[in-house]
Amino acid sequence: MAAKLKKGDKVVVLSGKDKGKQGEITSVSPKAGKAVVDGVNVAIRHTKQTQTSQGGRVPQAMPIDLSNLAMVDANGKATRVGFREEDGKKVRFAKTTGDTI
C-alpha cells in the first residue's frame, strides 16, 4: 500500500493535545505508523554537555500517529488523500478539491 503522507507534506493534527496545529512532516516511519511533525508533540529532553554542544533542556518533536494527521489542502483545511492514475502513473490527490498533490 502506498504511503498517503510523505516527508515535506503540510499537515494538521486532528486529535490530541496539539489538535488544530499545523506543521511540516520532517520524517515518516511507515512500519511504526508514525511521523515527526515540526512544532507538534514537543517534549523536553535533558542532554549532557559535550565538547561540541551545550547541554541542558532541549525541546524535541516526538513521533505522532499517522491516524491523527491529515493533509492540508489549498484552502488550508484538512483533507483526505486519494490515489488515481494519470498518464499511467499513480498520483496522490486531495479528496475535497480534487487537486493533485
Side-chain angles (χ1 to χ4, degrees):
M1 170 125 175
K4 294 190 179 205
L5 297 174
K6 296 182 178 183
K7 181 179 176 179
D9 287 344
K10 196 146 170 71
V11 294
V12 63
V13 180
L14 300 176
S15 64
K17 66 176 185 174
D18 294 319
K19 181 177 181 177
K21 284 189 180 178
Q22 292 186 4
E24 188 174 316
I25 295 179
T26 55
S27 69
V28 179
S29 176
K31 210 171 209 178
K34 295 185 179 279
V36 176
V37 182
D38 255 355
V40 175
N41 198 24
V42 176
I44 301 293
R45 292 289 173 241
H46 295 76
T47 59
K48 197 180 267 191
Q49 183 175 356
T50 63
Q51 286 182 338
T52 57
S53 66
Q54 183 71 24
R57 295 166 43 115
V58 179
Q60 182 181 7
M62 302 304 287
I64 188 168
D65 205 73
L66 288 174
S67 65
N68 296 333
L69 300 174
M71 182 81 84
V72 175
D73 65 357
N75 302 329
K77 299 203 176 197
T79 183
R80 292 185 296 155
V81 177
F83 294 96
R84 64 179 170 214
E85 290 238 355
E86 285 185 10
D87 301 326
K89 290 191 176 188
K90 192 175 186 181
V91 294
R92 298 183 306 157
F93 74 98
K95 290 213 174 182
T96 56
T97 59
D99 296 336
T100 303
I101 300 172

